[in-house]
Amino acid sequence: MTNPKTYNRRSFLKSSALSGGGLILSISWLSSFKALDKSETMNLPVDWQELNAYIKITPDNVIKIICPNPEFGQNVMTSLPMIIAEELDVDWKNVVVEMGPHDNTKLGPQFTGGSNSVRMYWKPLREAGAAARQMLREAAAQTWGVPVEEITTKAGVLSHSSGKTAKFGEMATKAATLPVPKGMKLKDPKDFSVVRNSKKNVEGQKIVTGKPLFGLDYRVDGMFIAMIQHPPAFGMKLKSFDASQTLKMPGIKDVFSLKLYPDGFTQGGFDTRTFNDLLVVVGNSTWEVMNARKKLKVEWEAAGDTKDTFTGRGAAREVIVPGRIETSTAQLEMMQERAKQPATVLRKDGDPEAAFKNAAQVIERTYNAPFLAHNCMEPMNFFAHVTDEKALLVGPLQAPGWTEPTLAKLLNLPADKIEIQMTRMGGGFGRRAYGHYLAEAALISKKVKAPVKLIYTREDDMTYGIYRPMYTATYRAALDANKNLIGFHIKGGGIPENPIHANRFPAGAIDNYLAESWEIPSNITIGAFRAPRSNFNAAAEQSFLDEVAEAMGKDPFELRLDLLKRAKENPVGKNNEYDAKRYAGVLELLREKSGWGKPEHSGKKRGVAAYFCHASYAGHVVDMVMRDGQPYVEEVFSAIDCGVVINPDAAINMVQGAVVDGIGNAFYGAVTHKAGAAEQTNFHNYRIIRHNEAPKKIEVHFVQNDIDPTGLGEPPFPPVFGAVANALYKTTGKRYYNQPFGTDKTKS
């Protein structure tokens, strides 16, 4: 991938203003519009007529739609432009999609994560399309001398009852000079013609033909390659190094150390970093740098306790990071001991103590899960070219808006002198929300005064941290003499965060309910991992509910639906996060589509689980078989309520990917540590699911409604763990309490 010319943010704004006839719109996140200063002009081609920050139209009626959010396989580069195309009323075959640069003013938050992309942009993008359509109608009305109410649109063509017609491109220049309309009426969902109709991935052909789309593909003339030698274990730091042999290796330009954050630096919301002292090797090629790095002679020392100061994503706070060298077996022992001690009460309904004291039967189970590594197929990398006046950064990043302020402070540059271009990401899952590797690349480029691409090897990435946390939780249920559920208690903790969502199901469905949490600090860094707390909770909670249902003599669906009926008709408490009706709707659809309880499925070994997170509801029925003495998931039925589904085929792909990912992590995923070092370093000893282990069929169904779209990146993933655990019980006759299930030796 080459970049023959680039524009910084300021020039991008100017060029947009000129090519749009002196007008550009910025979409605010209060759903209002404002015109930028008409005087902001620049002598650039005018064949693209820009109607707002998202839409450009050529005279021959090609519609270019700018995608604001980075893409890592969830297909936002297709689904987000579809939203605009719907309200703009254009023919999708005339649409060209382009990834926008980082620009919070014009393109909004641009954050890909937390299942937020479609949910966050649904209304602003619809309003952008509707406003542009109205401007084109106004232009046609003025040109033809007729009332605007008489102008209709269809598939990118303006029409009047007199017989006059014009393509959007013919009116684009005039439209760009008109006032920006506000408060436009949006389409009724029943009139959608683009949304809810499957469209092929706009980058699909580029992907399958190997076009350079990813950060690792990006290069410019004169670019160096950089790699960092990290400490061999968490809790250690650089003491000294000898690079004399490294510098003798072919192609090596320099070896040096530098700090990522200066002393006293206040970190932003996604400024998590594991090691602050960077030992850098810079050279001409990846191979030369990798080999030269092996020649380094480095002395490491204990880092000791350190203090981090954070702002963003909550109140300003100081965190003491312990310096101890940690081992997984000791961590588990620490968690077991901590779990016996008093914890923080997160929610309490009724009198749970009395319910358990008077119970005829108490069911108690403890669930554990290890750290998990993201293992994106494309390891961490970023290009940077930093000078005293400006900075250009190009690569895979989920949260450019969170990263830019940190860069501005580290480089001592104003934000408008920093340009961030986002490439397609070879996987993200939350890992690329943490922009330390971008900041590292920028500082290295500034040091060597040249363009640099920083590359992590697979081993660098897998051992660096920012894992899913290590969790544990104990669930207790109290039953009376008639097998009624009268009390429920969750007590959970983790390293270094707790997993408990106290106001989610079954909270609100049980009179006597208690949720508690605790945490143990650690120097092993953690981060977003496709809803880390939720994917553990769903495994534990949904496994436990199956045991409770069995003790009560109820079908697993029946227990869940009974509880949701109570939560809907007579809820306990006022802070319940979920909509019991939508939750139950997913279970009912899942029961219907899977044929649960039907005679034709009587011989199947099946497990069910459902979960709410990120404003959506998801459930799976897993059918499992034994082959060669090993359990395999043969078939999966999935039901999802995520509101309006923009692009059905892409949504199905997202769910299917979550199912395969969930099965693999449930059976095999684990990072363990010994003397502070990750024991898994590459795919030879970090097991992932293989092709022959994937289900033969994954059947996906969506609840049909007109609710505004909610999340889909995370929600299908968590309930996979619980469904697999419950299917394992039906298949093997044993309950599984410790992830990964494939190595759980403590099943009962």
Side-chain angles (χ1 to χ4, degrees), residues 13-167:
L13 287 170
K14 290 177 180 178
S15 67
S16 299
L18 177 73
S19 63
L23 175 74
I24 186 170
L25 307 179
S26 68
I27 312 299
S28 85
W29 298 100
L30 296 176
S31 304
S32 61
F33 298 76
K34 67 177 182 178
L36 294 184
D37 187 348
K38 192 171 181 177
S39 66
E40 293 281 344
T41 60
M42 187 176 177
N43 186 23
L44 288 172
V46 296
D47 55 339
W48 285 103
Q49 303 305 320
E50 184 159 329
L51 297 184
N52 58 35
Y54 298 98
I55 304 161
K56 301 177 183 179
I57 302 176
T58 62
D60 61 353
N61 218 41
V62 174
I63 315 297
K64 179 181 284 188
I65 296 179
I66 305 300
C67 178
N69 272 28
E71 171 71 73
F72 62 68
Q74 76 281 41
N75 215 21
V76 291
M77 278 195 71
T78 305
S79 57
L80 293 182
M82 286 175 67
I83 298 170
I84 295 176
E86 181 65 72
E87 295 292 343
L88 183 59
D89 200 5
V90 294
D91 191 332
W92 183 253
K93 73 174 186 291
N94 292 328
V95 171
V96 175
V97 177
E98 181 181 285
M99 181 65 223
H102 170 55
D103 191 327
N104 281 358
T105 301
K106 290 180 61 179
L107 298 176
Q110 296 185 272
F111 173 56
T112 294
S115 299
N116 274 317
S117 293
V118 168
R119 180 167 40 149
M120 183 183 297
Y121 278 92
W122 171 247
K123 187 175 181 182
L125 293 188
R126 293 184 73 191
E127 290 177 334
R133 175 176 171 270
Q134 180 63 13
M135 293 165 74
L136 290 161
R137 292 178 67 217
E138 291 277 4
Q142 292 181 20
T143 301
W144 297 335
V146 298
V148 68
E149 293 78 14
E150 296 179 6
I151 304 295
T152 60
T153 62
K154 184 176 181 181
V157 177
L158 297 144
S159 301
H160 184 255
S161 57
S162 64
K164 293 180 178 179
T165 64
K167 294 179 180 179

Side-chain angles (χ1 to χ4, degrees), residues 488-562:
F488 203 89
H489 178 205
I490 314 165
K491 185 178 181 181
I495 298 176
E497 72 167 18
N498 82 82
I500 305 302
H501 288 284
N503 296 316
R504 292 186 183 173
F505 180 79
I510 302 167
D511 288 320
N512 305 296
Y513 174 89
L514 177 63
E516 302 177 280
S517 72
W518 50 266
E519 297 171 347
I520 298 174
S522 174
N523 52 45
I524 297 176
T525 51
I526 61 163
F529 188 103
R530 215 164 187 177
R533 297 164 70 198
S534 295
N535 62 58
F536 170 74
N537 284 338
E541 167 202 293
Q542 293 293 305
S543 299
F544 186 65
L545 285 176
D546 259 38
E547 286 208 54
V548 173
E550 185 176 55
M552 295 172 69
K554 287 191 173 187
D555 173 83
F557 272 92
E558 181 187 7
L559 173 61
R560 290 166 172 83
L561 289 169
D562 285 350

Side-chain angles (χ1 to χ4, degrees), residues 226-354:
M227 288 186 173
I228 297 170
Q229 182 68 42
H230 293 125
F234 296 95
M236 301 190 76
K237 67 177 182 178
L238 178 66
K239 182 178 181 181
S240 64
F241 69 94
D242 177 357
S244 57
Q245 295 304 309
T246 301
L247 289 167
K248 294 177 183 178
M249 296 289 286
I252 299 306
K253 175 181 174 61
D254 201 359
V255 179
F256 53 87
S257 65
L258 55 80
K259 288 184 179 296
L260 175 57
Y261 301 142
D263 293 341
F265 185 82
T266 299
Q267 298 170 228
F270 281 103
D271 285 349
T272 297
R273 57 92 179 89
T274 303
F275 305 112
N276 200 55
D277 293 325
L278 311 178
L279 177 53
V280 183
V281 180
V282 179
N284 291 326
S285 71
T286 304
W287 181 247
E288 288 172 325
V289 173
M290 286 179 67
N291 283 316
R293 191 173 62 160
K294 297 174 184 177
K295 298 293 184 179
L296 287 170
K297 295 180 180 179
V298 189
E299 188 175 359
W300 310 98
E301 64 182 350
D305 293 355
T306 58
K307 181 174 72 174
D308 285 342
T309 304
F310 291 92
T311 59
R313 295 201 295 161
R317 60 205 182 278
E318 289 186 351
V319 176
I320 302 299
V321 180
R324 64 175 176 266
I325 304 298
E326 301 186 24
T327 296
S328 294
T329 52
Q331 288 172 329
L332 185 58
E333 291 171 359
M334 289 171 60
M335 293 170 71
Q336 292 170 339
E337 189 61 33
R338 180 63 185 85
K340 300 174 184 177
Q341 301 169 17
T344 301
V345 175
L346 302 177
R347 173 168 173 159
K348 184 176 181 179
D349 297 326
D351 190 347
E353 293 84 1

Side-chain angles (χ1 to χ4, degrees), residues 12 47 108 379 394 398 408 563 569 614 662:
F12 184 77
D47 55 339
V394 184
Q398 290 181 236
L563 290 170
E569 296 177 354
H614 295 80

Side-chain angles (χ1 to χ4, degrees), residues 307-420:
K307 181 174 72 174
D308 285 342
T309 304
F310 291 92
T311 59
R313 295 201 295 161
R317 60 205 182 278
E318 289 186 351
V319 176
I320 302 299
V321 180
R324 64 175 176 266
I325 304 298
E326 301 186 24
T327 296
S328 294
T329 52
Q331 288 172 329
L332 185 58
E333 291 171 359
M334 289 171 60
M335 293 170 71
Q336 292 170 339
E337 189 61 33
R338 180 63 185 85
K340 300 174 184 177
Q341 301 169 17
T344 301
V345 175
L346 302 177
R347 173 168 173 159
K348 184 176 181 179
D349 297 326
D351 190 347
E353 293 84 1
F356 279 94
K357 181 180 179 180
N358 298 324
Q361 181 181 358
V362 173
I363 305 165
E364 179 175 328
R365 300 290 184 266
T366 297
Y367 302 85
N368 298 296
F371 291 107
L372 292 179
H374 290 84
N375 296 329
C376 306
M377 285 295 98
E378 178 191 23
M380 301 302 107
N381 70 92
F382 227 87
F383 168 86
H385 189 188
V386 178
T387 68
D388 292 339
E389 294 79 29
K390 61 183 180 180
L392 170 65
L393 295 110
V394 184
L397 182 67
Q398 290 181 236
W402 288 94
T403 306
E404 185 185 70
T406 298
L407 274 179
K409 289 192 294 182
L410 291 175
L411 301 177
N412 195 27
L413 286 173
D416 66 355
K417 296 296 184 182
I418 298 173
E419 179 182 1
I420 302 175

Side-chain angles (χ1 to χ4, degrees), residues 447-526:
K447 170 76 173 177
V448 301
K449 301 184 184 302
V452 167
K453 185 190 290 183
L454 172 67
I455 297 176
Y456 277 39
T457 65
R458 173 67 59 199
E459 289 82 1
D460 293 337
D461 188 22
M462 195 177 292
T463 61
Y464 183 87
I466 310 190
Y467 303 129
R468 184 194 75 172
M470 187 176 183
Y471 291 129
T472 187
T474 296
Y475 282 72
R476 300 168 66 224
L479 307 183
D480 67 13
N482 296 317
K483 301 293 184 182
N484 296 310
L485 180 58
I486 59 171
F488 203 89
H489 178 205
I490 314 165
K491 185 178 181 181
I495 298 176
E497 72 167 18
N498 82 82
I500 305 302
H501 288 284
N503 296 316
R504 292 186 183 173
F505 180 79
I510 302 167
D511 288 320
N512 305 296
Y513 174 89
L514 177 63
E516 302 177 280
S517 72
W518 50 266
E519 297 171 347
I520 298 174
S522 174
N523 52 45
I524 297 176
T525 51
I526 61 163

